[in-house]
Structure formats: C-alpha cells, structure tokens
Amino acid sequence: MADECPVSVSVDDVQEEAPQRRSLKHDTVWSVLATGTRTVGAVGIFWMLARYLGKEQFGLYAGALALFLLVGAFVTLGTSHIVVKRVSVDRSLAQDSWGAALLPGVVLSVVVASALALLGNLAVPGLDGRAIFLLGLAEFLGVAVSVPASQALQALDRFPQSAFLTILWTVLRFVFVALAFFAFDMQTPTGVGIALLSASVAAGLVSSLALARVVGVPHFSIPASVQIIREGFPFSLTQASGLILGDIDKQMLVRRPVDGAALNGIYSASNRVLGLLATPVYAVLAATYPRFFAKGDADGLRGTWGYSKRLMLPITAYAIVASAGLFIAAPLVDDILGADYTEAIETIRWMAVIPVIHLPALLAGEAITGAGLQNTRNRFILAAGVLNIVLNLALIGPYGISGVIVATYAAETFLLAGLCIWIRQNLAER
C-alpha cells in the first residue's frame, strides 16, 4: 500500500516520484484481478440474497437498488470521472480534485438517503423507511467515498493499490452480509442494509487513508466542489440515462399490481446472472478509461474511435461465446438458487443475446466520452432510456417479464445503431 510514501508527501513529490504509465497489459491484469474478485464476491452476495431472502423479498431489494442507483447518479454527480480526467492530465490536482468530489458526495449521501426514507412506501413499495435509509446510505456512501479514491489511484498509475481497494470493499460486503445472515439471523432487507452500510463505512475509511498516503489529505473548498459538480454533471446524466436504460424496468416491474415483487425477483435474478458476463469487459474498460481521455486530447474522436475499434473484435467475440454458454447453462440456476427461481431459466435464455448488443455499445460510447463529447453520448443514452420507459409502460401490464425483455432489446439496439451511425457520419465530415 505505497508504504514508501509518508502521509506528509507533497504534491510535487507525487509528480516527481509517480511511476511512469505502464502498459495496458499491466493495468488490465490488475483490473481483471480486482474485477474478478468483485465478480466472485458479487456472485456470493447475490446467491445469499436471492436464496435466503426469497424471490419476493429479493424483488423488493432489487427494486430498491434500482432506485438507489438512479438517484445515486445525482448524489455523486459524476465527480469521480472529473477526478480521473484531471489527475490523468495533471497529477498536482489530486488533493484539490479529491476533496472537491468528496465533500458534496458525503453530504448528499446522508440527505438523499434520509429523504427517501421519509417517502417510505412511495419510494419502494413494500419496504419500510428504516430499510430504505440503511440500504440507500450504504449504496451512496460506498460510491461517494471509495470510488473517487480508487479511481484517483488509477489515474496516478497505481493500479495495484486501486485493485486492493476494490477487492477489500468486495470482501467486506461479502463478510458482513454472511455475518448478518448466518451469525445474527438477520435475513431481511434491514439486515442487508446494516451489513452493507458497515462495509461501506469501513471500505471508505481505508480507501481515504490509502489515497492520503500517496497525495496527502484532501483539500476541501465549497467553490471547488461547485466547479467539479458543474464539470461532472454531464457524466451523472450519462449514468442516470444508462440506468434508465438498464434498471428502471425493475422499479416499474416491482410496482405491478399483481405479483410485482415476485416477478421482479425472477427478472432481477436473471438480469444479475446476465450482468456477470460483462464483468471481464468492465475490467478492460476500467483499465483503458484514462487512455480514452489521452487519445481524445491528442487526436479527438478519430483517435478514440480508432482505439475502440482495436478492442471491438475481441470484446464482441467474447460476448458471442459468453451468450452461447449462458443459454446452455441456464438450467443450473434452478439448482443454485432453488425452486423459487425455475421461471428464471426461460428468462435468462431469452435475454442471452443482450451482451452482444450492449458491450459494443459501451465501446462506442467510451470513444465519444474520451473525445470530450459527453453531451452527445448523453442524448443517445437518454433517448434509448425514454424508449425503454415507453415500451415498458405499454408492455409490462399485459406481458410482465416478456414485455420487459422486448423493451430491453429494442432500446439496446437503438443505442448501438445510433452511436455507431453518428460516429461514422461525424468522422466522414472531417
């Protein structure tokens, strides 16, 4: 954990002693290690939640999480992206950028979690205010504190330390949930909230200390926080739009009058299994994220799109193979999660092709982001999200999960086609 760097190290020392940027292979190895551990931990947590909460309680939890992820985009306000962007270009900005992101993140985490708890059943039908507060604060604080610290270390080319922090957070979440379930017999959403909040606080403290050892203590300034919020807001819109595209259906399905929670439990379990396929790609994108900004700074969209195309073929090939494997292995979910989730087998098979559409769209989006055209990416994601909402409103009532799947395919296809067509047209005009 960078023991050679005392807490009092100056920013100038960071600039002089920081390691040279290593190869993509080196960064990807660490990113894959961290993401792999996170995946294993997420699988373990998912298994505990789905099996021991049961499909109805798990459906309520999944609906709450979808809401927290969406609202969370406006808690962190995209500031961690600006930390990466600034520090990747000028390492001396680490303390100021970190402090500017940390201050509003912590304050808004508490305020927003409290507001949602007061709304109670209006925010998440079927959950009480206490469970909503604990689950919400756990999600918000984890992202607001741990993520900026971890990403700042990535931008400083300290992937081993960043990977350790990701691994630590994963391990803490798994251990605390296991303790809540099996040591204290707290197999309820409230018990999950207590466990995850404890893990977020512990991981946040360790992450902050780790970054402080490298760059010193964060510099807090309200004007600096206001400025980083302004810069980060387009990224929060991207995150929110992406969540409208990918997760709003869980909030809508859980509100279905007939068996909404149970159906959402089935769909969310299937969706979670599907999401596990994408984790290796997320690891690659985490490792390449600072490079997209560097390519964009040097060559604009042409540079970032060229970089995306280098990754497109292997990632698409992986998506095809993984989707085929998921289709074949779908019946295993019945053995792993229990008889409550038998219906998930068919759902998983119908959703198996989504990664073949979704993952290339991520690469196209990263090319646009790296070129400094975040608002353009936002417009496409928002349009796809609106399409998803409209189709879900029309289809969930009469068709349930089948309607959600149709809406997802339509929105994902629209997004991929729109991004690629826009990029090609924009490059042709230059």
Side-chain angles (χ1 to χ4, degrees):
M1 293 299 297
D3 291 336
E4 74 280 7
C5 298
V7 172
S8 60
V9 66
S10 70
V11 174
D12 291 336
D13 290 334
V14 172
Q15 288 182 286
E16 294 172 2
E17 297 177 10
Q20 296 296 315
R21 188 169 295 283
R22 299 180 176 90
S23 68
L24 175 59
K25 180 179 178 181
H26 171 274
D27 292 350
T28 302
V29 167
W30 280 107
S31 186
V32 168
L33 176 62
T35 306
T37 304
R38 185 171 59 193
T39 301
V40 173
V43 169
I45 294 171
F46 163 60
W47 175 77
M48 285 189 286
L49 295 180
R51 191 172 186 98
Y52 291 98
L53 289 180
K55 64 182 180 182
E56 291 191 8
Q57 289 293 307
F58 180 69
L60 293 175
Y61 166 79
L65 183 60
L67 174 65
F68 301 147
L69 291 174
L70 178 60
V71 175
F74 301 101
V75 172
T76 57
L77 292 164
T79 54
S80 63
H81 295 274
I82 305 305
V83 172
V84 174
K85 184 177 180 180
R86 289 181 179 179
V87 177
S88 295
V89 176
D90 186 350
R91 296 168 185 263
S92 69
L93 299 176
Q95 287 174 290
D96 291 336
S97 299
W98 178 28
L102 193 60
L103 179 60
V106 172
V107 172
L108 287 174
S109 293
V110 177
V111 171
V112 174
S114 300
L116 291 175
L118 291 175
L119 290 174
N121 199 60
L122 292 175
V124 185
L127 282 186
D128 60 38
R130 183 186 180 199
I132 292 172
F133 176 77
L134 292 169
L135 289 167
L137 189 59
E139 184 64 33
F140 301 150
L141 274 183
V143 176
V145 179
S146 295
V147 171
S150 177
Q151 291 191 337
L153 287 168
Q154 284 187 21
L156 291 166
D157 201 37
R158 295 178 181 270
F159 267 80
Q161 292 96 322
S162 178
F164 171 80
L165 295 179
T166 299
I167 292 169
L168 176 66
W169 191 12
T170 300
V171 170
L172 288 174
R173 286 167 64 87
F174 178 84
V175 169
F176 279 113
V177 170
L179 287 173
F181 274 22
F182 306 124
F184 297 101
D185 196 27
M186 299 170 63
Q187 297 174 3
T188 63
T190 298
V192 175
I194 293 172
L196 294 181
L197 179 57
S198 301
S200 291
V201 171
L205 289 174
V206 174
S207 299
S208 298
L209 290 173
L211 183 57
R213 288 178 65 84
V214 177
V215 303
V217 297
H219 293 165
F220 297 107
S221 165
I222 292 178
S225 292
V226 171
Q227 180 59 35
I228 202 171
I229 288 172
R230 287 175 179 170
E231 293 181 41
F233 189 69
F235 290 88
S236 68
L237 288 178
T238 299
Q239 182 182 345
S241 300
L243 290 165
I244 289 173
L245 175 60
D247 286 292
I248 195 66
D249 43 20
K250 299 181 185 70
Q251 260 286 306
M252 299 173 75
L253 191 57
V254 79
R255 295 173 186 274
R256 192 172 188 255
V258 180
D259 296 330
L263 287 176
N264 198 47
I266 295 292
Y267 174 71
S268 297
S270 305
N271 193 264
R272 191 70 187 92
V273 171
L274 199 73
L276 295 174
L277 292 184
T279 50
V281 176
Y282 293 147
V284 173
L285 292 180
T288 58
Y289 193 54
R291 286 174 168 79
F292 274 102
F293 285 117
K295 294 285 185 181
D297 187 59
D299 300 310
L301 181 62
R302 192 170 300 278
T304 57
W305 180 235
Y307 192 56
S308 285
K309 289 194 294 185
R310 288 170 53 190
L311 301 171
M312 190 71 74
L313 180 59
I315 285 178
T316 302
Y318 163 79
I320 293 171
V321 173
S323 294
L326 181 62
F327 185 90
I328 294 170
L332 294 176
V333 73
D334 196 14
D335 299 321
I336 296 171
L337 298 182
D340 265 4
Y341 294 91
T342 300
E343 297 172 62
I345 297 172
E346 184 179 359
T347 302
I348 290 171
R349 284 182 161 170
W350 278 109
M351 297 172 67
V353 183
I354 289 175
V356 181
I357 307 170
H358 176 70
L359 296 180
L362 283 179
L363 281 173
E366 295 292 79
I368 294 175
T369 294
L373 301 167
Q374 188 69 20
N375 286 329
T376 297
R377 186 181 187 183
N378 286 347
R379 286 194 290 271
F380 279 103
I381 298 177
L382 184 58
V386 170
L387 175 62
N388 189 39
I389 290 175
V390 171
L391 290 176
N392 274 307
L393 285 173
L395 299 174
I396 282 179
Y399 301 109
I401 292 176
S402 297
V404 175
I405 295 172
V406 170
T408 300
Y409 271 109
E412 291 283 358
T413 302
F414 170 85
L415 178 60
L416 175 60
L419 290 173
C420 291
I421 291 171
W422 184 89
I423 289 172
R424 291 184 179 278
Q425 288 180 342
N426 192 271
L427 291 177
E429 294 172 358
R430 296 188 177 189

